[in-house]
Amino acid sequence: MRFGILGPLDVRASDGSPLDAGGPRPRALLTALLLDADRTVSVQRLIDGLYGETPPANAANALQSQVSRLRKRLGLEIETGPAGYRLVVDPDSVDVHRFERLAREGGQALGAGDHARAAALLREGLGLWRGPAPHDLPKLDELRLGAVQDRIEADLALGGGAELVAEVRELIARYPLGERLYGLLMRALHAAGRPAEALRVYEEARRVLADELGADPSPELSALHLELLRGREPVRQRGVPAQLTRFVGRAEELARIDALLAGARLVTLTGPGGAGKTRLAVEAGRAHADVCYVELAPLTVGTGIPYAILTALGVREGLRGPQGEEATERLVAALEGRELLLVLDNCEHLVEGAAQVAGLLLGTCSGLRILATSREALGITGEVLCPVPPLAAGPAAQLFRDRAAAVRPGFDGDEHARVAAIDGICAALDGLPLAIELAAARLRTLTVDELAERLGDRFRVLSRGDRTKAPRHRTLRAVVEWSWELLDQEERDLACRLTVFAGGGLSGGATLDAVEAVCGIPYPEDLLASLAEKSFLEASDGRYRMLETIRAFCAEQLPDPLLRELRDAHAAYFLRLAEEAEPRLRGRDQLPWLERLSTERGNLDAALRHCLDAAPSDGLRLMAALSWFWRLHGLASERVDLARELMDAVGPEPPPGLEEEYALCGLNAVMGDGDEARLACADQVLASIDHQLRLPFTVVLWTLAVGPERSRDERVHAQVGSDPWGRALLAVGLGFQEQFAGRPAASEALFAQALAGFRETGDRWGMANSLDQLGMYADWRGERTRALELIDEALHYARELAAPEETSDLLCRRGAVLLRSGAYEEATADFTRAGELARVAGAPEKVAGALWGMGDAARLSGDTARAREHYEAALETSARSWYSVGQTVHIFLGLGRVALAEGRADEADEWFAQARTLSTGAQTHGLEVAQVAEALASRAVEPERAATLLGAASALRGQLIVDDPDVTPVERRIRRMLAPEVYKKAFALGGSLRQDAVRES
């Protein structure tokens, strides 16, 4: 069940149907229990909530009676205990608790710089509100205001501006003392190109605060005012890592980087490991209006670089869009026309691949600049190198003091003797920031003098070593080695074992459970805490990660037999995790398991690569378990090469008992490139399976690869068996088949069946796809309100899945419904938002679809000039991308109708003729062909020809008269007067072969 109390009480059954909670008292009781869902509420609190200050004499008995009636009426589980009553429900099924969670997670994403995720989470949470909060919960209103402000801040970071001004002004009118709101308004006005108004807002805020509170603006608001006075843009960042420590020194280097980027489009920071290139690049990036940070350290092959950049940009493959599209083409589409600084960090191990990607992007995206970090140059024409030197003596000593104070509160490094010792330590470490930080961490247990003495001894020994080694290996390695020797044997053993986990990025490191299972060390919490204290580990959000330099050193200490044993244990653990997650990705736990697998991507890929060499059969199992995750998260194209290697490693025949997994590997290997041999092999293997599949989503990948007609194959029915998710999936495939065959009633029934099945399992992907099609059918019947309800629910699920392309598709669908309702402004807003999402996602074909919708909205509202601009932009975009023939037909028709409205009949006839030529192909839908017929009818000279065309159009639409804005009253009257034999002939033609209907007409 689902419960709503953010507004009028709303109770829904699992199928979405409303339930009646009863009169005022049962509703008040249910609300009180829902506010503390799954927690005990005292009897006294419930009595106070129900009866106020005048409870009846037998209030406890009356309350018990109300609880009993509520149980019976709604079938709720309400536990009775000595402390009170507890409503046993999942808190996430109650909108207020879901809102609180989404607001919290959105705020965390905003703080971490993940603005796209923050905006999506906050918008979803705020969308749960249907009215004011319960009157006795003012804190909820405060939380709602905070979430609104966070969402506006995220939108600003994503490029919003002008459209936010009115919203923030309205909020200020309601909350005139909200200082943060004034700051948001200043930033929105500045982004909208109205800097003078932004500065006036500061004066308004200062006056209001002085009059009402007798206070001055905060330092933050004053600093923003100063930035705007100086003409600086408020900073917008994507994925730039948040830093936990103060940035010390490097003012000259930052100024030099700014100057170089002003004149060059590729600047590469070079220097040894530990020199501080990453931190310097991050700080330099923060000064730019639009910056995207990409961490390349976790990658093992250069082909993964485009995908890493797409991920950092928030771009992913669509669930229903073209599969296997070249990542570089998608990347170019996502960056084209944007002014962006791209920070590529740690390029040295993939320098050739980084150079190729950088060269391509710089050559095609004129507004792009790249700031790279590498131990060697990328070697591209136009590249400017910026060597990162060691820290000078003063900043090096200050860095040491800062880090020392962090590990030893109250540390005083200013006493003369200590100053000299600190200077000596920093000089011995060659001013390398990482070495200084590691040395300062030792002050937890040592004095400065002891540190200096031991470090000096270490470097005197080291100075007699191999002088041909790079400075990093003579200094930084020595510091790590010296820190290593301060560990006890148990700590060293665990540090070595931890190197088996993927390093770098948010998907590196390991959870406590993984450490215990893979490293074979029971209860490792104390050892992990000790390693973190000694700077060998970073602990964050329940994960333990190693700095790459330390990880490389520790890996060298690991003997080969133990390394092989650990890699086997690592692969076995993540295989178990993937197989445990797989069925949950198709049910109610879909979102948390998607997030968990996303967090473990680095480890899952490492496990798969190990299986490729050591245990290909296990590799098949792991790839099979991850295949649906890759599709849902838009990662499938990245794994094509790996799937091919794995299939080659296994050989031409599937291992016994792994036929399904082998075929899935083959389907992953043929994405988008038409590898007929591998496809035929996978098809043959799947065709031989006559029992229920363990992984029913195999049917999706199979039909995507070989065609939707596979859904009618009896073998598929046997393979799906009784699995409810599989049956729902099969209904989707059959629904599309009926739709393509011109049987809308049968198609709609199948999509309704699919929706019921997906609701039963709780799968958001399935519900979104089914609701989309049901919304389309409701729209075709003229049931606009119902269509919007269905589409809005689909949008909710698509946003939960963080699927921007699918969200864009659904917004276009919603806009089309609004067009037919005459709500042109609201439709334009949906199409505009759809275009923005598609543009950010690098999906030009969907941008074109949104532009076509905006053109329709402008034309129908009478603005033919604006309509023509949108249609032409859609046509230009479609010419540069994969694009459906049907949508091109719509654009041609739109341009023809604009020309007709502006009195250019000959031009209109040309556009209609082009639309007619396209519509006779095999890729168009019956509705599109019907619209072509209607357009031709509007230009027909002979009434009988017009009548025949309109009859064919009516037949193609499946009904005689359709409430469509492009069907004129004259056309409707003609249809009513059609001779029965003409209509019957047209209906017969339209019901069998739609293209022939128009061709014969």
Side-chain angles (χ1 to χ4, degrees), residues 663-681:
L664 261 174
C665 183
L667 294 174
N668 282 315
V670 301
M671 276 189 56
D673 73 345
D675 189 330
E676 297 298 332
R678 281 194 173 92
L679 179 58
C681 178

Side-chain angles (χ1 to χ4, degrees), residues 702-820:
W702 194 10
T703 54
L704 280 172
V706 302
E709 67 279 356
R710 186 65 75 189
S711 59
R712 292 192 174 278
D713 195 317
E714 287 300 322
R715 289 168 297 182
V716 173
H717 289 256
Q719 290 167 349
V720 168
S722 60
D723 178 73
W725 189 89
R727 302 301 301 178
L729 182 67
L730 184 59
V732 169
L734 294 172
F736 278 116
Q737 287 293 297
E738 294 294 330
Q739 186 181 105
F740 299 152
R743 293 184 285 271
S747 174
E748 186 175 16
L750 283 162
F751 282 116
Q753 176 186 330
L755 178 61
F758 287 128
R759 285 199 193 282
E760 179 185 347
T761 65
D763 178 46
R764 293 160 180 80
W765 174 85
M767 287 190 283
N769 279 272
S770 304
L771 287 161
D772 178 23
Q773 297 302 308
L774 292 171
M776 179 186 72
Y777 284 123
D779 177 35
W780 287 3
R781 285 195 302 274
E783 298 172 7
R784 310 293 181 223
T785 301
R786 177 61 177 158
L788 290 175
E789 288 174 354
L790 293 166
I791 295 168
D792 285 345
E793 187 180 355
L795 275 167
H796 170 75
Y797 297 131
R799 286 166 176 152
E800 280 191 319
L801 289 168
E805 287 190 50
E806 289 67 36
T807 303
S808 175
D809 286 340
L810 287 162
L811 284 170
C812 283
R813 178 87 74 198
R814 191 177 194 277
V817 175
L818 291 168
L819 281 185
R820 283 185 272 276

Side-chain angles (χ1 to χ4, degrees), residues 258-342:
D258 282 344
L260 292 174
L261 285 172
R265 295 182 57 217
L266 172 60
V267 175
T268 302
L269 307 185
T270 59
K277 301 184 296 296
T278 292
R279 185 65 186 269
L280 186 56
V282 167
E283 297 300 328
R286 291 187 189 283
H288 288 258
D290 194 359
V291 57
C292 177
Y293 172 85
V294 186
E295 168 63 88
L296 301 183
L299 302 185
T300 57
V301 291
T303 53
I305 294 175
Y307 297 103
I309 301 174
L310 287 168
T311 299
L313 289 167
V315 177
R316 43 152 287 168
E317 295 170 359
L319 296 177
R320 299 179 297 173
Q323 299 293 330
E325 188 176 4
E326 277 295 321
T328 49
E329 294 179 10
R330 198 172 184 81
L331 186 54
V332 168
L335 292 173
E336 196 170 12
R338 293 175 60 180
E339 299 286 337
L340 176 77
L341 175 67
L342 184 63

Side-chain angles (χ1 to χ4, degrees), residues 519-531:
C519 298
I521 298 178
Y523 310 111
E525 297 94 323
D526 291 342
L527 286 175
L528 290 168
S530 179
L531 288 171

Side-chain angles (χ1 to χ4, degrees), residues 732-964:
V732 169
L734 294 172
F736 278 116
Q737 287 293 297
E738 294 294 330
Q739 186 181 105
F740 299 152
R743 293 184 285 271
S747 174
E748 186 175 16
L750 283 162
F751 282 116
Q753 176 186 330
L755 178 61
F758 287 128
R759 285 199 193 282
E760 179 185 347
T761 65
D763 178 46
R764 293 160 180 80
W765 174 85
M767 287 190 283
N769 279 272
S770 304
L771 287 161
D772 178 23
Q773 297 302 308
L774 292 171
M776 179 186 72
Y777 284 123
D779 177 35
W780 287 3
R781 285 195 302 274
E783 298 172 7
R784 310 293 181 223
T785 301
R786 177 61 177 158
L788 290 175
E789 288 174 354
L790 293 166
I791 295 168
D792 285 345
E793 187 180 355
L795 275 167
H796 170 75
Y797 297 131
R799 286 166 176 152
E800 280 191 319
L801 289 168
E805 287 190 50
E806 289 67 36
T807 303
S808 175
D809 286 340
L810 287 162
L811 284 170
C812 283
R813 178 87 74 198
R814 191 177 194 277
V817 175
L818 291 168
L819 281 185
R820 283 185 272 276
S821 304
Y824 302 136
E825 288 187 14
E826 193 177 347
T828 300
D830 278 348
F831 287 126
T832 302
R833 180 64 180 148
E836 291 171 354
L837 284 171
R839 191 171 285 107
V840 170
E845 71 283 354
K846 298 184 189 299
V847 174
L851 287 167
W852 148 52
M854 293 164 68
D856 279 357
R859 176 175 58 80
L860 292 168
S861 63
D863 190 347
T864 55
R866 176 64 61 86
R868 187 170 58 255
E869 291 176 8
H870 289 317
Y871 288 138
E872 289 172 350
L875 199 58
E876 180 184 357
T877 304
S878 70
R880 293 185 284 112
S881 67
W882 173 92
Y883 199 67
S884 83
V885 171
Q887 287 179 315
T888 307
V889 168
H890 282 294
I891 298 173
F892 287 166
L893 291 175
L895 287 166
R897 286 169 176 146
V898 165
L900 204 58
E902 293 178 342
R904 299 189 304 279
D906 290 343
E907 181 185 334
D909 288 340
E910 291 178 7
W911 286 119
F912 292 158
Q914 290 188 59
R916 180 185 185 280
T917 301
L918 272 183
S919 69
T920 57
Q923 293 177 293
T924 46
H925 195 284
L927 181 61
E928 293 149 5
V929 182
Q931 290 172 331
V932 173
E934 288 159 355
L936 294 172
S938 69
R939 298 291 297 143
V941 177
E942 299 174 359
E944 186 175 331
R945 162 97 170 140
T948 304
L949 284 164
L950 290 172
S954 293
L956 292 165
R957 287 178 179 274
Q959 57 191 55
L960 187 59
I961 300 173
V962 173
D963 183 17
D964 191 301

Side-chain angles (χ1 to χ4, degrees), residues 22-223:
R25 285 227 164 90
R27 296 171 73 85
L29 172 61
L30 180 56
T31 300
L33 291 169
L34 288 170
L35 286 169
D36 282 282
D38 212 33
R39 294 198 298 265
T40 299
V41 186
S42 70
V43 170
Q44 191 58 51
R45 273 185 57 195
L46 292 173
I47 290 174
D48 291 344
L50 285 181
Y51 304 108
E53 298 179 357
T54 57
N58 57 347
N61 291 336
L63 172 62
Q64 186 177 17
S65 177
Q66 292 283 3
V67 169
S68 178
R69 284 198 290 271
L70 197 57
R71 284 192 188 109
K72 293 177 181 177
R73 188 179 191 95
L74 297 178
L76 296 172
E77 183 180 353
I78 305 176
E79 292 183 350
T80 305
Y85 295 93
R86 179 170 78 98
L87 175 59
V88 183
V89 294
D90 179 2
D92 218 44
S93 66
V94 186
D95 60 0
V96 65
H97 302 298
R98 185 172 179 80
F99 165 70
E100 289 176 331
R101 177 180 65 78
L102 291 167
R104 180 176 63 255
E105 293 176 357
Q108 291 169 348
L110 182 65
D114 191 348
H115 301 116
R117 183 168 183 267
L121 288 168
L122 293 163
R123 190 168 277 108
E124 179 189 342
L126 292 165
L128 298 172
W129 286 76
R130 296 167 291 104
H135 68 281
D136 56 342
L137 289 174
K139 279 192 173 182
L140 270 180
D141 282 323
E142 295 175 16
L143 186 58
R144 182 184 191 182
L145 176 60
V148 170
Q149 292 177 113
D150 283 350
R151 194 266 305 156
I152 293 171
E153 187 162 333
D155 285 344
L156 282 168
L158 292 170
E163 72 280 7
L164 299 172
V165 171
E167 181 182 4
V168 183
R169 284 198 185 281
E170 182 181 341
L171 287 169
I172 288 176
R174 291 162 54 195
Y175 305 98
L177 299 180
E179 192 170 1
R180 184 183 178 190
L181 290 171
Y182 288 105
L184 292 172
L185 180 56
M186 291 165 67
R187 291 172 58 193
L189 287 166
H190 192 276
R194 296 151 68 180
E197 289 182 62
L199 295 174
R200 286 198 295 272
V201 168
Y202 177 78
E203 298 302 327
E204 176 189 343
R206 184 166 64 175
R207 184 177 63 255
V208 170
L209 292 172
D211 292 346
E212 298 295 330
L213 302 176
D216 292 326
S218 67
E220 291 78 12
L221 194 62
S222 299

